[in-house]
Amino acid sequence: MFQDNLSDTLKKLKITAVDRTEDSLEGCLDCLLQALAQNNMETSEKIQGSGILQLFASLLIPQSSCSAKIANIIAEVAKNEFMRIPCVDAGLISPLVQLLNSKDQEVLLQTGRALGNICYDSHEGRSAVDQAGGAQIVIDHLRSLCSITDPANEKLLTVFCGMLMNYSNENDSLQAQLINMGVIPTLVKLLGIHCQNAALTEMCLVAFGNLAELESSKEQFASTNIAEELVKLFKKQIEHDKREMIFEVLAPLAENDAIKLQLVEAGLVECLLEIVQQKVDSDKEDDIAELKTASDLMVLLLLGDESMQKLFEGGKGNVFQRVLSWIPSNNHQLQLAGALAIANFARNDGNCIHMVDNGIVEKLTDLLDRHVEDGNVTVQHAALSALRNLAIPVVNKAKMLSAGVTEAVLKFLKSEMPPVQFKLLGTLRMLIDAQEAAEQLGKNVKLVERLVEWCEAKDHAGVMGESNRLLSALIRHSKSKDVIKTIVQSGGIKHLVTMATSEHVIMQNEALVALALIAALELGTAEKDIESAKLVQILHKLLADERSAPEIKYNSMVLICALMGSESLHKEVQDLAFLDVVSKLRSHENKSVAQQASLTEQRLTVES
């Protein structure tokens, strides 16, 4: 019965379409809508096969009373993926876009649905709407209808927002187009006016979530009151899913420093702290997820300099105090967020000094102690990051050493995780400016052996670089024979020689200064290793290379003079034509280099 009726209706439609008798046309359209309601997919296939779509293109005229029904049929048909390209091919897009200029609310509603469905996941649909200029007309409607709050109008606004989403979803260039058309301020205004309407609010949030991924959108968002609107909306939400949706918009927006500050000023932090307090002891999956999202977002807000300083409030702020209380908690996620937050607060000397004077170091070392055996790697990494940052101001170093930071950190020497190794090395390097500390650590055979091993970590350039720099720093700051002996015995010389050929001038220089100290203090012990590492040939290369920085040339010559105290190394220096290279440097534009060249030349001439 259904099939026969449908075929009859389609035949009848073709005839009435030609006659343009609107009454009988309307009857046929009603039959089609009924058939679609009963079995959308099958009816759509029939419609596609009958060639009716091309007819619709000619029937969609603004003055026809049937336009809304035809648009409704197209919207229903286009729910099927296989119908979207046929709709485009039948030439329906241009007449549908024309209908967007109608004053009739029902026509606008059905046309918005039809275009939205055709655009859903369809490149061809989007392209056609783009060419017909559909987006601009819809944005203009959103602007002019924005302030009207009756239910029918809100439904239309929701459809139009949905249409723009389907039109631009995951398509950067169309999203950029909407942004240039000024869609963002309009959507923010919509959200503010219609925050009571769940469907429209949700549509705005999805739109923000999509658009916020684009860098170019952040500037526009920052010039609206989005922060205030989102926080206001967030405070009203009780359901997890709704809050989740707002979080998904907040996270990408909060990457922008201006918006970070706006969110802090709008009171987001208080909301986040409250969530943490409510969820901290729950073992429900949703609550655990929300606790993580809230604490991660909190850490993100602290990445902006202004927002961070505002929340620090001289270390007296409620927020700072609450974050401190996360560190000793039993919740790994909170420990992690707490340590990361401290690392973020520790981004200027004033904050670092204040925190160290108020006992932060003990909190962090206690936290590390809880994670030595089978510890949580992310917590270890975060706590070490915080300690490393805190150790940057000179006045903090001695205080941190006496608070037992090196002992706490050295417990992680056995870690096999490169991120932990990297932070551990960085923290130690920051702490050993003092001669005493450098001497104590430099005589620690376990540490030195591990450093030499990590100097070969080819897969982890960061760990390798930091290990080399720490070896060199132990020698430079301790100036101790015992430290040098420990490093030579552990096989460290070859790494320092390799480091002298690094592409980073600062590392080259650190290596040359350490090697000069070795040559001055313990040449006998190091002689064989220096020979087999071919240091003399490397120095010749560095001096002959015009690209070497002045300080590299200077320190290479100082080192050559020091090496001549060894008979076998002296012979190597004589075998290479050092005099030619050095005498050229006497006229170097850098005074120190020129002076050192004269001294080195004298030394070479006297000793040859």
Side-chain angles (χ1 to χ4, degrees), residues 390-423:
L390 290 165
I392 293 171
V394 178
V395 293
N396 279 354
K397 296 181 196 289
K399 293 174 189 166
M400 289 177 71
L401 288 167
S402 59
V405 170
T406 43
E407 294 76 11
V409 169
L410 286 172
K411 291 176 187 167
F412 294 92
L413 266 184
K414 52 182 191 289
S415 170
E416 293 303 331
M417 306 304 284
V420 174
Q421 297 167 352
F422 181 70
K423 286 296 176 189

Side-chain angles (χ1 to χ4, degrees), residues 447-467:
L447 170 64
V448 173
E449 283 177 348
R450 194 70 161 133
L451 290 181
V452 170
E453 184 187 327
W454 284 342
C455 283
E456 293 173 8
K458 300 269 186 293
D459 301 342
H460 301 285
V463 172
M464 198 161 91
E466 277 291 337
S467 301

Side-chain angles (χ1 to χ4, degrees), residues 165-212:
M165 278 315 82
N166 288 354
Y167 170 68
S168 65
N169 189 28
E170 288 181 357
N171 182 315
D172 286 359
S173 65
L174 292 180
Q175 287 180 349
Q177 177 198 70
L178 294 182
I179 290 169
N180 291 336
M181 290 174 177
V183 75
I184 288 175
T186 306
L187 289 173
V188 174
K189 199 171 154 194
L190 269 181
L191 181 69
I193 295 172
H194 302 275
C195 55
Q196 302 304 325
N197 183 308
L200 185 48
T201 303
E202 206 159 302
M203 208 48 100
C204 287
L205 289 173
V206 174
F208 292 145
N210 286 347
L211 296 169

